[in-house]
């Protein structure tokens, strides 16, 4: 490994260790308990009632695609990353040792590691909860595909909204799972990129407020199913909303959402790099 790459890894690893040992991580456990109560257990109860097992991956897909849980996952991640990039005293030591650009690259690598780890924890947690009555396969379970034909009276129930027909009617599970994971990671990373820009401009509070505003506006537009929802990260992160319920057609192509996140992140990182050149890290004044 070259000296530059090892320096970037040193920054990312230092921040990652600090992050995973933060006492606030307790809210991740609380989140998993909430997810089990709201999503995994109701799906397991439905499987027991139907008399067939779930696919092991379906609870995770339900959690990350449910309109009712759109704010839960990004909100918890936002709390955990609200001080990104770190402004601790260790930050000045790192910058002196690494230089600004390598420090920035290390911060971005840390943000990516944090986003991937966060998604992995949700995936592992939901899978463990579902393990007693589930199978591993590449397609949707009979419970998901056929339950409503056996119990049509439950069409408007909360559990029925967890896995919308736009998913299992239009997309194979083996396609849905990687798309869900990658889009969620990009969504969480885009939150970090916004925080980075404002932090470089010494506008930490404004950055927090702007991030909350973008999340809130995205959920509002999504809930109203407005065409404006595609200008916010929220809709672009949800796989099922890209497809119609019955017709085999896309409302908004998945590749366009990947392009959306790519452009969003590149713009934010570029702005952050430009602001970095003028940033005085030894001034503690922030607004």
């Amino acid at each position: 490994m070259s000296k530059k790459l090892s320096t970037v890894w040193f920054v990312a690893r230092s921040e990652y260790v600090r992050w995973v040992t933060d006492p606030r991580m307790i809210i991740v456990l609380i989140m998993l308990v909430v997810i089990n109560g709201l999503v995994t257990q109701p799906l397991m109860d439905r499987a027991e009632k139907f008399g067939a097992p779930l696919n092991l991956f379906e609870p995770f897909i339900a959690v990350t695609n449910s309109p009712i849980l759109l704010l839960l996952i990004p909100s918890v991640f936002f709390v955990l990353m609200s001080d990104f990039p770190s402004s601790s005293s260790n930050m000045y030591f790192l910058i002196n040792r690494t230089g600004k650009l390598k420090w920035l690259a290390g911060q971005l690598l840390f943000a990516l590691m944090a986003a991937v780890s966060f998604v992995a924890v949700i995936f592992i947690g939901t899978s463990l909860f579902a393990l007693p009555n589930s199978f591993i396969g590449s397609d949707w379970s009979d419970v998901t595909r056929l339950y409503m034909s056996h119990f049509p009276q439950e069409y408007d129930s909360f559990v029925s909204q967890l896995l919308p027909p736009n998913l299992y009617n239009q997309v194979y599970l083996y396609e849905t799972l990687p798309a869900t994971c990658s889009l969620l990671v990009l969504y969480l990373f885009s939150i970090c990129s916004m925080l980075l820009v404002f932090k470089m401009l010494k506008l930490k509070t404004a950055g927090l407020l702007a991030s909350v505003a973008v999340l809130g506006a995205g959920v509002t537009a999504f809930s109203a199913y407005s065409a404006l929802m595609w200008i916010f990260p929220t809709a672009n992160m949800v796989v099922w909303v890209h497809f119609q319920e019955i017709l085999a057609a896309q409302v908004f192509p998945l590749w366009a959402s990947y392009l959306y996140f790519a452009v969003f992140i590149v713009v934010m990182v570029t702005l952050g790099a430009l602001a970095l050149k003028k940033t005085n890290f030894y001034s503690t004044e922030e607004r």
Side-chain angles (χ1 to χ4, degrees), residues 43-56:
L43 287 176
M44 298 294 287
D45 292 342
R46 170 180 278 208
E48 184 177 356
K49 182 177 180 180
F50 186 80
L54 287 173
N55 189 303
L56 183 68

Side-chain angles (χ1 to χ4, degrees), residues 18-30:
R18 178 192 61 82
W19 184 68
V20 297
T21 55
D22 192 309
R24 288 177 298 178
M25 280 294 168
I26 189 66
I27 66 174
V28 176
L29 297 177
I30 298 173

Side-chain angles (χ1 to χ4, degrees), residues 163-197:
L163 287 169
N166 307 55
L167 272 180
Y168 57 81
N169 282 342
Q170 307 298 346
V171 197
Y172 292 111
L173 185 141
Y174 66 81
E175 297 174 326
T176 304
L177 184 61
T180 295
C181 292
S182 56
L183 287 173
L184 181 55
V185 168
L186 289 171
Y187 179 39
L188 300 178
F189 189 76
S190 67
I191 295 175
C192 296
S193 68
M194 284 186 61
L195 294 173
L196 174 72
V197 172

Side-chain angles (χ1 to χ4, degrees), residues 70-71 74-75 78 187 191 210-220 232-234:
L70 279 179
L71 268 177
S75 295
F78 177 76
Y187 179 39
I191 295 175
S211 299
V212 170
V214 169
L215 293 176
V219 171
T220 301
F232 298 102
T234 301

Side-chain angles (χ1 to χ4, degrees), residues 60-131:
F60 171 77
I61 294 173
V63 168
T64 51
N65 279 274
S66 170
I68 302 166
L69 299 175
L70 279 179
L71 268 177
L72 177 63
I73 292 175
S75 295
V76 172
F77 186 74
F78 177 76
V79 171
L80 295 175
M81 298 294 291
S82 58
D83 61 346
F84 175 80
S86 173
S87 56
S88 64
S89 58
N90 189 45
M91 168 184 173
Y92 309 121
F93 165 75
L94 286 174
I95 294 169
N96 277 330
R97 181 172 177 178
T98 65
K100 287 184 176 181
L101 289 179
K102 284 180 281 189
W103 175 85
L104 177 63
Q107 293 296 326
L108 293 173
L109 178 57
F110 155 62
L112 180 60
M113 291 165 61
V116 171
S117 298
F118 189 73
V119 173
V121 167
I122 298 173
F123 177 79
I124 293 171
T126 53
S127 299
L128 289 176
F129 284 133
L131 197 57

Side-chain angles (χ1 to χ4, degrees), residues 151-282:
F151 304 99
Q153 69 276 13
E154 297 183 26
Y155 182 82
D156 294 324
S157 67
F158 169 80
V159 186
S160 298
Q161 300 176 47
L162 295 175
L163 287 169
N166 307 55
L167 272 180
Y168 57 81
N169 282 342
Q170 307 298 346
V171 197
Y172 292 111
L173 185 141
Y174 66 81
E175 297 174 326
T176 304
L177 184 61
T180 295
C181 292
S182 56
L183 287 173
L184 181 55
V185 168
L186 289 171
Y187 179 39
L188 300 178
F189 189 76
S190 67
I191 295 175
C192 296
S193 68
M194 284 186 61
L195 294 173
L196 174 72
V197 172
F198 284 94
K199 191 64 173 288
M200 294 300 95
L201 295 172
K202 294 289 183 178
L203 297 171
K204 178 181 178 180
T205 302
L208 295 174
L209 293 175
S211 299
V212 170
V214 169
L215 293 176
V219 171
T220 301
F222 181 90
S223 300
Y225 209 70
S226 165
L228 293 176
M229 67 183 177
W230 298 111
I231 68 175
F232 298 102
T234 301
N236 287 279
M237 179 267 294
V238 181
V239 176
W240 71 264
V241 78
H242 290 77
F243 299 91
Q244 295 187 19
E245 180 175 341
I246 303 298
L247 299 178
Q250 294 190 39
V251 177
F252 191 77
L254 274 174
W255 65 261
S257 288
Y258 284 106
L259 179 62
Y260 170 90
F261 282 117
V263 171
F264 186 95
I265 291 169
V266 167
V267 169
M268 290 294 106
V269 171
T270 301
L271 291 175
L274 293 174
L276 177 68
K277 295 181 179 179
K278 300 180 180 180
T279 301
N280 178 9
F281 289 99
Y282 301 99

